[in-house]
Amino acid sequence: MRPDLLDRVLSLLPAQGDRPELTDFAAMLRDYPQRGGKGIRSELLLASARAHGAGPGTPAWEGALWLAAALELFQNWVLIHDDIEDDSEERRGRPALHRLHGVPVAINVGDALHAYMWAAVHRAGVPGGMEEFLTMIHRTAEGQHLDLTWVQRREWSLGEADYLEMVRLKTAYYTVVVPLRLGALAAGATPDERFTAAGLALGAAFQIRDDVLNLAGDPVKYGKEIGGDLLEGKRTLIVLHWLAHAPEEQKRVFLDQMRRDRADKDGAAIADIHRWLLESGSIEDAQTYADRQAREGLALLTEALKDAPDQTAARELLGQMRGLATREA
Amino acid sequence: MRPDLLDRVLSLLPAQGDRPELTDFAAMLRDYPQRGGKGIRSELLLASARAHGAGPGTPAWEGALWLAAALELFQNWVLIHDDIEDDSEERRGRPALHRLHGVPVAINVGDALHAYMWAAVHRAGVPGGMEEFLTMIHRTAEGQHLDLTWVQRREWSLGEADYLEMVRLKTAYYTVVVPLRLGALAAGATPDERFTAAGLALGAAFQIRDDVLNLAGDPVKYGKEIGGDLLEGKRTLIVLHWLAHAPEEQKRVFLDQMRRDRADKDGAAIADIHRWLLESGSIEDAQTYADRQAREGLALLTEALKDAPDQTAARELLGQMRGLATREA
């Protein structure tokens, strides 16, 4: 995230406490934001605000910046809790917060950061902003619930429609729909109704692209562990496509591995599955599906932005969106 | 909590979802509120609103009721996360939420309920209400952090001042200080400055009374397991007082038991410790301390309410507070 936005985020958080334990607590609140996320969602929000005429120098820009800070705080408290829920080992190149300080402390840090997010929404003072954050949290939590329930029940009898509903709820709202809408609201405009359909399609494309990169990306560019999603047992469109057509023996090996906790998975079997997936054509299928979603989303978004006050900024926003759906990292 | 307030809380929550998993999720959101908490904090808030002239029939009463609903939602999402953090077995006579649905799902349910709390705060539309909830969450999370850190570090070298700081942050703000202040704000009044000192003293008295009942209460009236705090290794004023004067051998047994997880604690040793505590006089000392805090808090609160518009309601509020600090259950 851009340095001035990080400063804004940190300005809301305590730098130290009245006693050593509370100074530690303050450091934990600042930890994830300081690990340097890409700031994808806040950039989209700010690009949308500019397209709607609320660029730097306008009185509305300050509100847009506070909403952008709130969106980053959202991302960070959610990641703290997600990392516990998935028992992730690392986040942005360092151990996940609960691996450093234990689950109880990390849950509590996430809760406090959640409240600081609302402080940023409040500071923005943008009419309709609070409702937008409420919708965003509810949709994201519902998507997360689908994902967690499927993991818990070891549920793999899922189709394309199930996957799509999950990623729309879990990823598309907070990654695209809500940033687009918040940018309009910050400018005092009514968000175009097409932002929702456009954002759901683009958000799904974004997530499927991420799933593709996780299996077939360039390890250097991608940054995360290639195949990590297999070890975590993530439901992806690729795996669900493949499962629908895989030979029985391969399916058996896959389901056997997916019944195991991460630590008990067999590296050789996972490597086999990875190879089967690469050879099956399911990755290309998923990429084709993502490309179609991205095209439809971009077409809708182009329509929706046709009358936006700042057409230069609108083109930048479209370019940014296109880049996210086709990215290499 | 009173039935009409429960209805108000439930009216904010979804009754069902678009698919079976999300209908389950909706039921999980409604579970804790429906288990029937006492509604102590919402009653205090409403009594404070009445004392400030915002009783039933006034336009401000509706705002007070939404703030009361928000306070109950706060209590419920915090309990879901607390139960995970303390790995509690039961809540209000039924298994804790994470014992029914697993830790990942329960964290996520708590997060969604947290957001519904903000929806209630927003619906109240009371100026200053949002700031009050922000302060409340931050103080409570700090108090919880002290408690969790001490548990994690097996820290028992703590004095009366440490305990007092912890319970003020963790319990007194959300139990007394903030309900008193929110009642005033709902009525459009500036909260009296003395509410803070009064609420901190009364909140500490409330918690110490709870600690006393946990060790020496009437099992039938109290409802919870007598001695449960010992099994959970809770820091209480009673234990800290006792530790400061206990014979070395008793201290050794105590610290040995406290090093163990709940399941590994020795029932006979815990029963010995319980008896030592009962015989030591530390329970009476703690009760005396709580009585002094309650007296000081009530004196301050009486002063602060001297000019409140509704003196009948102010007397009821004082009676309610006195009852909490001296309760048997």
Side-chain angles (χ1 to χ4, degrees):
Chain A
M1 129 180 62
R2 50 174 78 188
D4 57 325
L5 194 59
L6 177 59
D7 288 345
R8 194 174 286 259
V9 165
L10 296 177
S11 75
L12 286 168
L13 307 179
Q16 54 176 49
D18 293 340
R19 39 187 303 154
E21 300 97 323
L22 297 181
T23 296
D24 293 345
F25 186 59
M28 293 176 199
L29 289 168
R30 301 165 83 86
D31 184 352
Y32 270 28
Q34 285 179 313
R35 291 189 188 188
K38 292 185 206 144
I40 290 171
R41 285 95 184 165
S42 53
E43 288 301 329
L44 274 185
L45 186 160
L46 294 173
S48 170
R50 283 193 299 270
H52 287 88
T58 67
W61 183 239
E62 191 66 11
L65 287 171
W66 280 117
L67 289 179
L71 208 50
E72 291 297 326
L73 282 162
F74 171 79
Q75 165 86 347
N76 280 284
W77 77 254
V78 167
L79 287 178
I80 293 174
H81 283 184
D82 269 12
D83 286 345
I84 302 170
E85 287 157 17
D86 303 338
D87 197 17
S88 301
E89 292 181 3
E90 293 204 344
R91 174 62 59 188
R92 299 175 185 152
R94 293 203 56 214
L97 202 73
H98 69 287
R99 299 214 171 228
L100 292 171
H101 310 293
V103 167
V105 164
I107 294 176
N108 189 49
V109 171
D111 289 337
L113 210 58
H114 181 165
Y116 282 110
M117 177 203 81
W118 288 107
V121 175
H122 190 50
R123 278 288 275 278
V126 170
M130 191 151 178
E131 288 84 348
E132 217 56 43
F133 273 81
L134 288 171
T135 304
M136 175 173 75
I137 300 174
H138 293 320
R139 293 302 83 77
T140 309
E142 286 160 6
Q144 178 71 350
H145 184 75
L146 289 182
D147 203 7
L148 293 173
T149 301
W150 296 340
V151 170
Q152 198 181 53
R153 299 186 187 163
R154 313 209 180 261
E155 178 66 78
W156 287 97
S157 308
L158 297 162
E160 195 172 280
D162 300 304
Y163 172 84
L164 207 61
E165 181 156 13
M166 187 267 283
V167 293
R168 283 176 165 190
L169 290 169
K170 182 175 164 160
T171 306
Y173 274 95
Y174 94 93
T175 304
V176 192
V177 176
V178 170
L180 288 174
R181 289 177 55 87
L182 284 172
L185 290 169
T190 305
D192 191 286
E193 279 183 12
R194 289 163 290 190
F195 284 170
T196 303
L200 290 176
L202 287 162
F206 172 86
Q207 183 58 54
I208 296 168
R209 180 72 193 148
D210 199 64
D211 298 342
V212 166
L213 290 172
N214 193 283
L215 288 172
D218 178 331
V220 177
K221 286 190 201 160
Y222 182 59
K224 298 186 209 167
E225 181 186 13
I226 298 294
D229 286 354
L230 282 181
L231 288 168
E232 289 192 6
K234 264 184 76 173
R235 275 83 188 139
T236 63
L237 192 60
I238 304 162
V239 166
L240 297 178
H241 272 171
W242 171 76
L243 268 179
H245 306 104
E248 281 307 315
E249 173 56 17
Q250 293 186 5
K251 233 195 267 193
R252 202 192 52 72
V253 172
F254 175 83
L255 292 174
D256 172 52
Q257 288 301 316
M258 292 305 131
R259 261 188 293 274
R260 306 178 187 199
D261 290 335
R262 187 181 171 132
D264 300 327
K265 287 196 169 75
D266 172 357
I270 294 292
D272 283 343
I273 296 166
H274 195 166
R275 187 165 43 75
W276 297 333
L277 285 167
L278 289 170
E279 291 168 358
S280 68
S282 292
I283 293 175
E284 291 75 10
D285 285 354
Q287 186 58 57
T288 305
Y289 187 90
D291 290 342
R292 197 173 62 238
Q293 292 276 319
R295 243 186 345 265
E296 288 173 12
L298 283 169
L300 259 176
L301 188 58
T302 306
E303 275 298 305
L305 291 170
K306 223 173 47 191
D307 299 323
D310 185 335
Q311 282 298 313
T312 310
R315 275 189 300 275
E316 279 171 22
L317 171 56
L318 285 164
Q320 224 169 299
M321 265 315 335
R322 191 174 297 112
L324 285 176
T326 56
R327 72 199 190 285
E328 298 292 325
Chain B
M1 119 181 69
R2 49 173 80 187
D4 57 325
L5 194 58
L6 176 59
D7 288 345
R8 195 175 286 259
V9 165
L10 296 177
S11 75
L12 287 168
L13 307 178
Q16 54 177 52
D18 293 339
R19 39 188 301 154
E21 300 97 323
L22 296 181
T23 296
D24 293 345
F25 185 60
M28 293 175 199
L29 289 168
R30 303 164 83 85
D31 184 353
Y32 271 27
Q34 286 180 311
R35 292 190 188 188
K38 291 186 207 144
I40 291 171
R41 285 96 183 163
S42 53
E43 288 301 329
L44 274 185
L45 185 159
L46 293 173
S48 170
R50 283 194 299 270
H52 288 88
T58 67
W61 183 240
E62 192 65 13
L65 287 171
W66 281 117
L67 289 180
L71 208 49
E72 290 297 326
L73 283 162
F74 171 79
Q75 165 87 349
N76 280 285
W77 76 254
V78 166
L79 287 178
I80 293 174
H81 283 184
D82 268 12
D83 286 345
I84 302 170
E85 288 157 18
D86 301 339
D87 197 16
S88 301
E89 294 182 2
E90 292 204 346
R91 173 62 58 187
R92 299 174 184 152
R94 291 203 55 215
L97 203 74
H98 70 286
R99 298 213 170 228
L100 291 172
H101 310 293
V103 168
V105 164
I107 293 175
N108 189 49
V109 171
D111 288 338
L113 210 59
H114 181 166
Y116 283 109
M117 177 203 80
W118 287 107
V121 176
H122 190 49
R123 279 285 276 278
V126 170
M130 189 150 180
E131 287 83 348
E132 217 57 40
F133 272 81
L134 289 170
T135 303
M136 176 174 73
I137 299 174
H138 293 319
R139 292 302 83 77
T140 309
E142 287 161 6
Q144 179 70 351
H145 184 75
L146 289 182
D147 203 7
L148 293 173
T149 301
W150 295 342
V151 170
Q152 198 181 54
R153 298 184 187 163
R154 314 208 180 261
E155 177 68 78
W156 288 96
S157 308
L158 298 161
E160 195 173 279
D162 299 305
Y163 173 83
L164 207 61
E165 181 157 12
M166 188 267 282
V167 294
R168 284 176 165 189
L169 290 168
K170 182 174 163 159
T171 306
Y173 274 96
Y174 93 93
T175 304
V176 192
V177 176
V178 170
L180 288 174
R181 290 177 54 88
L182 284 172
L185 290 169
T190 305
D192 191 286
E193 280 184 12
R194 287 163 292 188
F195 285 169
T196 303
L200 290 176
L202 286 162
F206 172 86
Q207 183 59 54
I208 297 168
R209 181 71 193 147
D210 199 64
D211 299 342
V212 167
L213 290 173
N214 192 283
L215 288 172
D218 178 331
V220 177
K221 287 189 200 160
Y222 183 58
K224 298 187 210 167
E225 181 186 15
I226 298 296
D229 286 355
L230 281 180
L231 287 168
E232 288 191 8
K234 265 184 74 173
R235 273 82 189 140
T236 63
L237 192 60
I238 304 162
V239 166
L240 297 177
H241 272 169
W242 171 75
L243 268 178
H245 305 102
E248 279 309 315
E249 173 57 17
Q250 295 186 3
K251 233 196 265 191
R252 201 192 53 70
V253 172
F254 175 84
L255 292 174
D256 172 51
Q257 289 300 317
M258 293 304 131
R259 261 188 293 275
R260 307 178 186 197
D261 290 333
R262 187 180 171 132
D264 300 328
K265 287 195 169 74
D266 172 355
I270 294 293
D272 282 343
I273 295 166
H274 195 166
R275 188 165 42 78
W276 297 334
L277 284 167
L278 289 170
E279 293 168 358
S280 70
S282 292
I283 293 175
E284 291 75 10
D285 284 355
Q287 186 57 59
T288 305
Y289 187 90
D291 291 342
R292 197 172 63 239
Q293 292 275 321
R295 242 185 348 264
E296 289 174 12
L298 283 169
L300 259 174
L301 187 57
T302 306
E303 274 299 306
L305 290 170
K306 223 173 49 191
D307 300 322
D310 185 336
Q311 281 299 310
T312 310
R315 274 189 301 275
E316 279 170 21
L317 170 57
L318 285 165
Q320 223 169 300
M321 269 310 339
R322 190 174 298 111
L324 284 175
T326 56
R327 72 198 190 285
E328 296 293 325

